[in-house]
Amino acid sequence: MRAVVGTDDILLVTLDTLRYDVARELAAAGRIPNLARHLPGGCWEERHAPGSFTYASHQAILAGFLPTPVGQGPHPRLFAAEFGGSESTAERTFVFSESNLVAGLDGAGYHTACIGGVGFFNRRGALGSVLPGLFAEAHWSPELGVTSPTSFESQVNLAERIVRDLPAERRLFLFVNVSALHQPNWFHTEGGTVEAGDSRATHAAALEYVDRHIGRLFDAMSSRRRCFAIVCSDHGTAYGEDGYTGHRLGHPVVWTVPYAHFFLQGPE
């Protein structure tokens, strides 16, 4: 990452609440072709979330603690704040003196922009302002939120505008918190109703919806130069497993998440 930071644009996409098992199954079945073509080997990497709900996990992720590879570490990190005795800071880690990755990239000359999704990014109170407040530019509206059936399309439209309006020479760190997977997601299935509610199947349909539009986001972020992209979940969610529904709880479907990072090649 020491060679990437300062050279490439950087994209961080959190597919909020996406379960690893659902993401893996859809990739294997060819149901998310636009994502799968960028996944190393066409597969998601299985990792452990740094938190069991959005706020906790994003506090960690935006401090450089991305989801952790399975198996005993230490696992070298891409980004890390200066911290004495850190066993996961390696020779090629981008190390910053600030308290969070956003400030670290700002210090490295990046314009930092946030496109919020779930309520922790809505800036409708002190708590909902903490995470977006890290960025030089931050956006949220109901059209980007969990109740909008077209939330991701609206997020991509906004991302295209941010890229278009930024001077070509300025490096960009764009963070997108995708809200479409989060409950409610019943409206992503044909014939779905609020009475029928959300399920593992509607969760999968929401990921297919995201896949139909994510190519535009990748195209925008690679339109100026090469882009280093990270796409992952912040945590999973339960749909009745062992009697549990939702997240902010210690079940494997919550703690196990999909992860990938890859380069998007820029103009030739």
Side-chain angles (χ1 to χ4, degrees), residues 115 137 139 143-144 150-165 174 176 209 213-214 216-218 220:
I115 300 177
E137 175 182 357
H139 301 269
E143 290 73 25
L144 310 177
T150 58
S151 60
F152 189 57
E153 295 156 80
S154 298
Q155 290 182 310
V156 174
N157 292 341
L158 184 51
E160 290 174 330
R161 192 183 80 197
I162 290 171
V163 171
R164 185 176 60 249
D165 291 348
L174 178 65
V176 184
Y209 159 69
H213 299 280
I214 203 164
R216 284 200 295 129
L217 176 61
F218 291 161

Side-chain angles (χ1 to χ4, degrees), residues 162-238:
I162 290 171
V163 171
R164 185 176 60 249
D165 291 348
L166 191 67
E169 68 276 7
R170 187 78 187 275
R171 299 299 188 269
L172 172 63
F173 171 50
L174 178 65
F175 165 72
V176 184
N177 173 250
V178 177
S179 63
L181 284 302
H182 195 284
Q183 296 95 326
N185 52 46
W186 58 267
F187 41 68
H188 290 296
T189 57
E190 185 175 353
T193 65
V194 65
E195 291 77 18
D198 304 322
S199 66
R200 195 176 183 279
T202 64
H203 187 84
L207 181 58
E208 290 179 296
Y209 159 69
V210 169
D211 187 74
R212 289 195 293 272
H213 299 280
I214 203 164
R216 284 200 295 129
L217 176 61
F218 291 161
D219 288 345
M221 284 300 297
S222 59
S223 63
R224 307 184 316 147
R225 60 181 60 84
R226 192 176 71 165
C227 174
F228 181 76
I230 302 167
V231 182
C232 65
S233 176
D234 56 338
H235 58 79
T237 198

